[in-house]
Amino acid sequence: MALPQTVIDTTEARIAGLDLPQGGWSAAARADALARLRAMGLPQRRDEYWKFTRPDTLTQPDVPQAALFDPQESPVFDGFDRLKIVFVDGVFDPAQSDDLTLEGVSIDRLADVAEADIHWARDLYGVLEARGQDPVERPLAALNTAFASDGVLIHVTGKPSRPINLIYQHGDTQSDAILHHVLRVDSGAEATILENGPAAARFNKTMEIDIADTGILHHIRKQGRDHERRAVTHMFARLGRESVLKSFTVTVNGVLTRNEVVVELTGDDAVAHVAGASLGDGDFHHDDTVFITHDAVNCESRQVFKKVLRNGAVGVFQGKILVKPDAQKTDGYQISQSLLLDDDSQFLAKPELEIYADDVACSHGSTSGAIDEEALFYLRARGVPERKATDLLTLAFLAEAVEEIEDEAIAEDIVTRLEGWLSRHS
Amino acid sequence: MLEIKNLHVKLEDEDKQILKGVDLSVEAGKVHAIMGPNGSGKSTLSYVLSGRDGYEVTDGSASLDGDDLLDLEPEERAAAGLFLAFQYPVEIPGVGNMTFLRTAVNAQRKARGEDEMSAADFLKVVREKAKSLKIDADMLKRPVNVGFSGGEKKRNEILQMALLEPKMCILDETDSGLDVDAMKLVSDGVNALRDAGRGFLVITHYQRLLDHIKPDVVHIMANGRIVKTGGPELALEVEQNGYADILSEVA
């Protein structure tokens, strides 16, 4: 079916300003992605999947200005021993990055390896993204595959001794960054990927993750605090037998963030946990869109998303669990909750379950509420000032999501930062 | 120490008068008990004194050591030395009991211009006080009151009282939901805190708590007023004859 002219116009206008990287092993994948993008067209305001989030500033050719912000605190993960890979406005910065050699992992730069045949990456680049286009289209991810100018290819073959930290710095108020990473975790391998930073005025990032049988990947992300930044991110993960993916994202500030996570559990006994905590004050729109497909026996998935909203901030959750006919013994859990600290803020949620197997346990819940007055009074009656008591209860609200971080030191650091944010925003 | 004069209180959202002129004075070092039938206004009195929302004081006053309580926020009343042991201690998922206890103690110290206690010092103090109330490490680690039995919740209230060392303690039906052993444990905890500088107001339906926490003065409350005041023997009278006799006597 032909696309409406407005969709074609939006799509072509966006593409017109972008360069399609040529040559090398990714060329075919990029061409395919461009064809996919043209067939789907960029999202429009009336699209069902974009019902709660306006896509226009993510799809228009011009990048809305985003002022740089000095958070006046050291970047998260600074105190931890890790391998740093730094991008400034979406461009790899070798000067700030560590040497990319680490035992148990090979790391290559997407832009560098255009001429080299990295077969494992060739087999994944754009492949998981393409799989993730069905049953719901994600055109901004196809755009990413076609036009990404940089990114890293991380092949985890063992158990690297340090986490790999992708750091996204923002230096230009109108930067438009498109990064594409590919991760492969081999059978029996295990790694931790950290991500942080505001990245750019507008950031489009895709990460494709393939976890082989028994592989384990921890992913912890903190999105940057620049108030005016915009981001659309996609994570496409495919999990093999007995593999584990644990992903946690914390987001404070940001005028627009859409984080899509697409997980396919393709091997028996795989485990996928996807969690997020977001806090917004004022001009803040945060959208978590998650799609988890159970396509194997006895797999477990958890989605835990918590949002704290005040002064007109908007939170969105679209979460789906799809259980295929043969995915018996599925254990699926999904919770999305918002804490509305005033009457102006909004939480929009669309939890979905679609189950074709008959022997499954799936539960889901979505709530929206204010601070518990009983608990607040109890704390105050013990001498805790109202502000402090509210912050304590807010952190308690976020606890179920933060507990998804397995590394206690990192979890503690993130809680301290959330506490700091709360104490600054009253 | 605690001076309540002609206190009139109605519900904020309803035209319903709960307290209709309560006069009560608790001296330092004394234990006063308030007994009374359901709906007499006992719990309302405790809530109004501690500053809970939903009530409107229409007349009268309440002060602690001369400070007007009714003008203060709940946390200021706590810092001034008032403590309410809740009839139904609130469960707070996600807040560890230890964090809660330390936050409360340090908030009060800060409000009084004292130095905050370090985590290590605090741990030492808590361990010692928790031990006599048979509160184990697990109860200190768990979220506040979550999954606690009725007895554990009340013991946790007394632990808070012991840590905060208030001047004036109000115990709102602390005996409700307690078996005999738990009642003994809780009462021992309270008795250990009896001190020449500290006043107690013990609200209860039943005389049995007063077997353990011996009151100096017993008040009978009915229909929003203190209708009779006497010594410990008054509690025994209630136990034997119920409230009906006393109420008809004062009617």
Side-chain angles (χ1 to χ4, degrees), chain B residues 99-142:
Chain B
T99 306
F100 162 67
L101 295 169
R102 189 153 74 92
T103 305
V105 166
N106 278 336
Q108 293 203 15
R109 290 176 76 99
K110 202 173 159 192
R112 291 193 292 259
E114 298 163 20
D115 284 341
E116 294 190 6
M117 253 173 144
S118 74
D121 287 348
F122 184 74
L123 190 64
K124 223 180 285 171
V125 176
V126 170
R127 280 206 180 126
E128 183 203 314
K129 303 210 172 190
K131 202 173 154 194
S132 58
L133 286 159
K134 297 205 166 87
I135 291 176
D136 58 19
D138 183 52
M139 269 175 75
L140 292 171
K141 229 184 280 169
R142 269 147 57 187

Side-chain angles (χ1 to χ4, degrees), chain B residues 45-155:
Chain B
L45 178 63
S46 72
Y47 287 141
V48 169
L49 291 174
S50 54
R52 192 192 186 100
D53 281 345
Y55 303 98
E56 189 185 328
V57 176
T58 52
D59 200 4
S61 67
S63 65
L64 182 63
D65 276 347
D67 292 333
D68 183 358
L69 283 176
L70 303 178
D71 264 0
L72 301 178
E73 296 294 336
E75 56 267 33
E76 294 170 327
R77 300 179 196 205
L82 186 77
F83 182 93
L84 170 65
F86 282 57
Q87 183 180 1
Y88 303 108
V90 181
E91 296 185 8
I92 313 182
V95 177
N97 204 19
M98 198 63 152
T99 306
F100 162 67
L101 295 169
R102 189 153 74 92
T103 305
V105 166
N106 278 336
Q108 293 203 15
R109 290 176 76 99
K110 202 173 159 192
R112 291 193 292 259
E114 298 163 20
D115 284 341
E116 294 190 6
M117 253 173 144
S118 74
D121 287 348
F122 184 74
L123 190 64
K124 223 180 285 171
V125 176
V126 170
R127 280 206 180 126
E128 183 203 314
K129 303 210 172 190
K131 202 173 154 194
S132 58
L133 286 159
K134 297 205 166 87
I135 291 176
D136 58 19
D138 183 52
M139 269 175 75
L140 292 171
K141 229 184 280 169
R142 269 147 57 187
V144 180
N145 294 325
V146 177
F148 285 27
S149 70
E152 286 173 334
K153 284 181 183 173
K154 296 298 169 79
R155 268 144 60 197

Side-chain angles (χ1 to χ4, degrees), chain A residues 201-219:
Chain A
R202 184 169 68 185
F203 189 34
N204 179 331
K205 190 203 68 181
T206 290
M207 190 182 268
E208 293 177 289
I209 300 172
D210 190 36
I211 309 179
D213 297 350
T214 71
I216 298 175
L217 183 71
H218 299 274
H219 171 243

Side-chain angles (χ1 to χ4, degrees), chain A residues 52-172:
Chain A
F52 303 129
T53 299
R54 287 185 63 151
D56 48 357
T57 55
L58 298 171
T59 59
Q60 73 194 29
D62 297 335
V63 181
Q65 184 109 358
L68 305 181
F69 176 72
D70 177 6
Q72 300 187 330
E73 65 177 7
S74 65
V76 68
F77 310 134
D78 251 19
F80 298 89
D81 185 25
R82 78 276 201 227
L83 185 141
K84 295 195 300 277
I85 303 177
V86 180
F87 297 86
V88 181
D89 293 311
V91 181
F92 176 67
D93 181 358
Q96 292 194 76
S97 300
D98 291 330
D99 175 34
L100 301 185
T101 331
L102 182 64
E103 200 179 323
V105 62
S106 72
I107 304 170
D108 290 289
R109 190 179 162 197
L110 176 64
D112 276 350
V113 296
E115 302 308 320
D117 183 17
I118 297 189
H119 65 91
W120 70 266
R122 190 191 54 205
D123 292 346
L124 292 174
Y125 189 88
V127 172
L128 299 185
E129 174 258 299
R131 288 176 70 93
Q133 299 290 354
D134 182 45
V136 188
E137 292 179 349
R138 307 169 200 280
L140 284 161
L143 180 140
N144 181 296
T145 300
F147 294 100
S149 49
D150 218 331
V152 279
L153 311 170
I154 301 174
H155 187 187
V156 185
T157 51
K159 296 186 176 175
S161 57
R162 289 186 282 164
I164 295 159
N165 190 183
L166 303 170
I167 299 169
Y168 309 119
Q169 296 177 359
H170 175 201
D172 176 341

Side-chain angles (χ1 to χ4, degrees), chain A residues 117-368:
Chain A
D117 183 17
I118 297 189
H119 65 91
W120 70 266
R122 190 191 54 205
D123 292 346
L124 292 174
Y125 189 88
V127 172
L128 299 185
E129 174 258 299
R131 288 176 70 93
Q133 299 290 354
D134 182 45
V136 188
E137 292 179 349
R138 307 169 200 280
L140 284 161
L143 180 140
N144 181 296
T145 300
F147 294 100
S149 49
D150 218 331
V152 279
L153 311 170
I154 301 174
H155 187 187
V156 185
T157 51
K159 296 186 176 175
S161 57
R162 289 186 282 164
I164 295 159
N165 190 183
L166 303 170
I167 299 169
Y168 309 119
Q169 296 177 359
H170 175 201
D172 176 341
T173 57
Q174 280 188 302
S175 53
D176 193 16
I178 306 180
L179 287 183
H180 193 115
H181 308 306
V182 182
L183 257 106
R184 154 90 187 173
V185 181
D186 280 355
S187 185
E190 177 170 2
T192 297
I193 301 290
L194 309 171
E195 293 184 281
N196 66 288
R202 184 169 68 185
F203 189 34
N204 179 331
K205 190 203 68 181
T206 290
M207 190 182 268
E208 293 177 289
I209 300 172
D210 190 36
I211 309 179
D213 297 350
T214 71
I216 298 175
L217 183 71
H218 299 274
H219 171 243
I220 303 164
R221 160 169 69 168
K222 181 171 185 290
Q223 295 180 299
R225 281 175 43 201
D226 290 23
H227 292 276
E228 293 167 348
R229 62 156 188 82
R230 287 159 204 275
V232 55
T233 75
H234 290 84
M235 176 196 284
F236 297 95
R238 180 171 64 186
L239 276 70
R241 182 179 50 81
E242 292 172 45
S243 68
V244 176
L245 169 68
K246 293 200 173 170
S247 173
F248 173 85
T249 300
V250 57
T251 310
V252 294
N253 306 345
V255 67
L256 177 60
T257 307
R258 163 107 160 187
N259 292 333
E260 293 196 24
V261 176
V262 182
V263 178
E264 264 188 288
L265 298 150
T266 61
D268 295 348
D269 305 300
V271 173
H273 290 194
V274 186
S278 52
L279 297 88
D281 185 357
D283 203 359
F284 173 87
H285 184 109
H286 183 93
D287 176 337
D288 285 301
T289 290
V290 182
F291 197 113
I292 295 184
T293 304
H294 282 259
D295 198 9
V297 176
N298 202 34
C299 292
E300 173 194 315
S301 73
R302 271 174 79 81
Q303 301 172 46
V304 181
F305 287 88
K306 304 265 186 164
K307 294 175 168 63
V308 176
L309 305 165
R310 70 193 317 160
N311 290 324
V314 179
V316 174
F317 176 77
Q318 304 190 99
K320 178 153 182 170
I321 306 174
L322 169 62
V323 182
K324 297 263 184 101
D326 294 329
Q328 301 296 359
K329 307 283 180 195
T330 284
D331 178 3
Y333 174 74
Q334 180 197 84
I335 184 89
S336 65
Q337 297 182 306
S338 76
L339 178 62
L340 303 175
L341 293 177
D342 54 42
D343 294 339
D344 301 328
S345 302
Q346 272 190 78
F347 178 55
L348 305 158
K350 194 169 89 173
E352 288 181 282
L353 296 181
E354 194 176 328
I355 301 173
Y356 296 101
D358 51 21
D359 183 14
V360 304
C362 279
S363 60
H364 70 129
S366 185
T367 65
S368 221

Side-chain angles (χ1 to χ4, degrees), chain B residues 214-249:
Chain B
K214 302 249 188 276
D216 299 296
V217 183
V218 175
H219 307 274
I220 305 298
M221 192 164 185
N223 194 23
R225 280 191 200 92
I226 304 284
V227 293
K228 191 166 184 184
T229 296
E233 71 286 352
L234 193 52
L236 292 167
E237 197 184 321
V238 169
E239 185 72 6
Q240 279 157 18
N241 307 327
Y243 290 111
D245 284 4
I246 295 169
L247 298 188
S248 59
E249 181 187 316

Side-chain angles (χ1 to χ4, degrees), chain A residues 372-375 377-388 392-393 395-397 399 403, chain B residues 50-52 73-75 78 83-84 86 90 92-95 100 103-104 107-108 145 157 160:
Chain A
D372 177 353
E373 290 294 331
E374 291 284 323
F377 175 65
Y378 190 62
L379 289 167
R380 295 180 71 192
R382 294 297 174 257
V384 183
E386 187 173 11
R387 269 285 310 282
K388 174 103 183 153
L392 205 57
L393 294 174
L395 288 173
F397 164 79
E403 279 162 11
Chain B
S50 54
R52 192 192 186 100
E73 296 294 336
E75 56 267 33
F83 182 93
L84 170 65
F86 282 57
V90 181
I92 313 182
V95 177
F100 162 67
T103 305
Q108 293 203 15
N145 294 325
E157 292 292 289
Q160 291 164 43

